[in-house]
Amino acid sequence: MSTRPVLVVHGIATHDRREFEQRVSTLQTSIRPQLPNVKLIPVFWGDLGGHSVSIGDCLPQLRDGQWTTRAEGIMSITGILPEVRAETKLSNEERASIIAGSAMKAELVRGAPDATEIAITEALAQTTHLQKIDDKEVLEAVGGVLNEALSEEPAADERGTFEVRGEPSTFETRSWIGNKVKEVITAIDKLVGKLIEDRLGVLNQRLRNSLMNGVADTLGDIVAYHSNKEAIQKRLWDAIDDQARGYGTDTNPIGIIAHSLGGVISFDAMVAPANGKALCVDSFVTFGSQPAFFEIIDPRRPNVTYSSGHPIELPVAIKKWFNLWDVVDILAFTAGTVFKFKDGSKPEDIPVEDPISVMLDEKLWLHSVYWGTPQLLSVLTKAFK
């Protein structure tokens, strides 16, 4: 029984050669019962992809509730809030009036509405966050908290009075209400600041840090490929010369299994080779891949442009094409709507539908789940048996 060589080309964010070769070895073991004569040949190009090791250096940092960068100093975290950047619609007096409207339900302060509103206005003036909020419901909620605080019977030693200087030569006597209002308003202001810091600061920073390497790997590899097509496509020919010499020609085509951007690299090597020599493939299997996407936004051949309802005819370098796409994989695209073969047939699109348990395990990032799916093994058997 003759050995049938099949190239396996990885996709984005694969920069560990040993890990990729182990994945190919595992796949080889999985297909051996059905395809004993197929020899999988890993094609590694990740070392030519994008670099993301130091990507964190360009991310803003949160320190003590303030955004900082290495080059630009400090920006207050509240400076990034839309409601803070825009001009405020209310004055502090108006805010105080709204807050007081809810706070005045307290039985102990109904007899001193003016003193209460003045105390709220003065307390607001010393806040960092509350004096920038114009949402009426939020302000009324603050008043509700004040109402609860002012409804409690004060202890005897809290009933003492104190003097606060007002207009020149004028003194006002304030009860414990002034102190209580200031305490509550200050506490709420700190709480609002903490929520802002947590929601738009710590959470933002953690989210960006956790996602950025993946984003950089994805975009970095795409940019690196499109600026270095010839060197990366050459890796396919290097693998053929090393382990399948004589294959990849019109008379002796080779098989290809390609994930993600690996499908684009392989497709380009067949359709628009950077070195001018088309790679000929008898069975082309892609999964989670984007040849159709890039063909639409960046046509691979001059004067060949896709338009809806008019699929592009594939060159004879591709004999058969099986394309798997996961319904929840945002980087997976169908091929049969954009391409067709000379005889009018189309690449076969095979949907992969994962149970909710798999989606949750993978945190909905399903771009790499294809490798172990029964659908892939079934398609490989169909393509290479």
Side-chain angles (χ1 to χ4, degrees):
M1 182 184 294
S2 61
T3 298
R4 182 175 186 179
V6 175
L7 303 180
V8 182
V9 190
H10 68 77
I12 57 172
T14 303
H15 298 156
D16 187 322
R17 181 189 293 270
R18 256 194 326 189
E19 183 180 329
F20 168 60
E21 290 178 347
Q22 180 57 51
R23 175 168 275 177
V24 175
S25 177
T26 300
L27 184 61
Q28 178 78 75
T29 301
S30 299
I31 67 172
R32 185 169 290 123
Q34 295 297 324
L35 302 169
N37 65 320
V38 169
K39 176 188 178 183
L40 300 184
I41 303 171
V43 178
F44 181 74
W45 57 269
D47 56 320
L48 300 177
H51 303 282
S52 64
V53 174
S54 302
I55 199 67
D57 289 353
C58 65
L59 293 177
Q61 300 177 358
L62 182 69
R63 292 177 182 168
D64 300 324
Q66 293 181 314
W67 284 105
T68 70
T69 68
R70 287 182 173 84
E72 297 181 4
I74 297 176
M75 175 182 70
S76 170
I77 189 169
T78 55
I80 63 172
L81 290 175
E83 65 266 29
V84 174
R85 286 202 305 262
E87 287 187 20
T88 55
K89 301 173 185 177
L90 300 176
S91 65
N92 263 357
E93 289 75 13
E94 290 170 323
R95 291 190 190 89
S97 178
I98 295 172
I99 293 173
S102 295
M104 289 301 178
K105 297 173 184 176
E107 211 173 296
L108 293 174
V109 300
R110 283 179 182 169
D114 293 341
T116 304
E117 192 162 332
I118 290 171
I120 293 172
T121 303
E122 291 179 352
L124 276 175
Q126 298 176 43
T127 62
T128 302
H129 309 285
L130 281 180
Q131 64 174 308
K132 298 172 183 175
I133 290 178
D134 293 322
D135 189 292
K136 186 177 179 182
E137 290 186 4
V138 173
L139 296 173
E140 288 176 344
V142 173
V145 175
L146 262 180
N147 177 66
E148 292 299 319
L150 296 175
S151 294
E152 297 178 4
E153 181 71 31
D157 57 358
E158 290 186 44
R159 288 183 176 275
T161 61
F162 60 94
E163 293 183 337
V164 178
R165 185 173 298 277
E167 298 298 323
S169 303
T170 303
F171 291 88
E172 292 181 358
T173 300
R174 303 281 178 83
S175 70
W176 63 278
I177 292 175
N179 273 338
K180 183 64 73 174
V181 166
K182 184 175 181 180
E183 289 172 6
V184 174
I185 292 289
T186 300
I188 293 175
D189 186 58
K190 289 180 180 178
L191 175 60
V192 170
K194 184 63 178 172
L195 289 174
I196 290 173
E197 179 180 324
D198 284 346
R199 290 185 61 191
L200 298 181
V202 176
L203 177 61
N204 177 287
Q205 188 175 29
R206 288 175 181 169
L207 186 61
R208 292 185 72 178
N209 284 339
S210 65
L211 293 178
M212 194 49 60
N213 281 340
V215 171
D217 282 341
T218 302
L219 297 179
D221 284 349
I222 292 172
V223 171
Y225 169 61
H226 283 86
S227 63
N228 196 20
K229 286 184 177 181
E230 186 169 359
I232 292 178
Q233 287 180 25
K234 185 175 180 294
R235 290 294 173 88
L236 278 71
W237 287 106
D238 290 345
I240 290 173
D241 290 342
D242 184 45
Q243 299 191 54
R245 187 176 295 275
Y247 279 85
T249 64
D250 185 44
T251 56
N252 199 18
I254 196 166
I256 291 185
I257 301 168
H259 176 226
S260 186
L261 191 63
V264 178
I265 295 168
S266 305
F267 178 81
D268 287 352
M270 295 178 260
V271 174
N275 65 356
K277 180 183 177 183
L279 178 65
C280 294
V281 175
D282 52 5
S283 285
F284 184 34
V285 177
T286 55
F287 47 100
S289 199
Q290 310 89 28
F293 174 81
F294 283 109
E295 180 66 47
I296 291 174
I297 65 173
D298 182 20
R300 273 17 198 177
R301 290 170 287 176
N303 303 319
V304 180
T305 304
Y306 171 79
S307 62
S308 186
H310 299 86
I312 296 171
E313 186 175 307
L314 294 165
V316 293
I318 308 176
K319 311 300 182 187
K320 292 182 294 184
W321 186 355
F322 304 88
N323 178 61
L324 291 91
W325 55 280
D326 194 295
V327 295
V328 189
D329 180 7
I330 62 172
L331 296 180
F333 300 88
T334 60
T337 49
V338 177
F339 302 107
K340 68 176 181 179
F341 293 103
K342 190 176 183 63
D343 63 2
S345 63
K346 297 179 179 180
E348 186 176 340
D349 287 306
I350 301 98
V352 177
E353 298 184 39
D354 294 297
I356 189 65
S357 59
V358 173
M359 295 181 187
L360 293 176
D361 287 343
E362 298 294 331
K363 298 178 176 62
L364 295 183
W365 177 252
L366 298 175
H367 191 53
S368 296
V369 298
Y370 304 89
W371 292 93
T373 60
Q375 289 95 334
L376 177 60
L377 298 180
S378 175
V379 167
L380 293 182
T381 301
K382 183 177 181 180
F384 300 112
K385 193 169 182 64

